[in-house]
Amino acid sequence: MTALTPAAAADRTGVSIDTLRYYEREGLIGPIRRSGGGRREYTENDVFWIGLITCFRDAGIGIADLREFVTILRAEHSPQERVAFLRERRTALEQRVAALHRAMEVLDEKIAYYS
């Protein structure tokens, strides 16, 4: 198994080292393995989780919701509970997308008006 340094993990995932540490402190990833000298070593599984968390964050899902999702996964809740959680967040995301589309339409109207 290949171990990645924090810098390599940050490079692979597109987040900063500070963000990696933050995600670990918040319990969203990890626990991260440590070398004999105490340095963090990220695995491919860690990189996967960082990517998942980053995707959810990009979608506007908050840290509290992410903590809840990680808790659901780690506590081995039923698949139905996991799906229910994700469906709720998807519905909220659909509503945000609709609101953004409405805002873009208004902006387009104003651009046309002022052009």
Side-chain angles (χ1 to χ4, degrees):
M1 177 180 288
T2 304
L4 299 172
T5 65
D11 187 53
R12 283 267 306 273
T13 60
V15 300
S16 69
I17 293 173
D18 287 338
T19 299
L20 293 176
R21 290 184 188 132
Y22 176 71
Y23 286 171
E24 185 180 3
R25 265 192 324 271
E26 292 298 319
L28 302 178
I29 61 171
I32 303 300
R33 186 173 70 192
R34 301 284 182 139
S35 70
R39 299 183 136 261
R40 288 174 176 86
E41 297 180 327
Y42 294 86
T43 65
E44 290 300 320
N45 189 52
D46 296 326
V47 169
F48 167 80
W49 274 102
I50 294 162
L52 183 65
I53 298 299
T54 301
C55 177
F56 284 178
R57 291 290 296 140
D58 289 345
I61 296 175
I63 295 297
D65 281 344
L66 289 172
R67 273 193 229 107
E68 183 180 347
F69 181 61
V70 169
T71 299
I72 289 170
L73 292 177
R74 289 182 178 161
E76 298 183 23
H77 285 61
S78 71
Q80 294 83 4
E81 289 175 278
R82 294 173 182 177
V83 169
F85 175 90
L86 293 170
R87 282 192 176 141
E88 287 173 14
R89 292 341 173 262
R90 188 179 193 290
T91 297
L93 189 56
E94 285 175 339
Q95 292 168 350
R96 286 186 55 226
V97 167
L100 288 171
H101 280 288
R102 286 190 303 273
M104 288 173 59
E105 288 171 1
V106 170
L107 288 172
D108 288 342
E109 289 172 8
K110 293 302 176 194
I111 289 168
Y113 177 81
Y114 291 115
S115 292

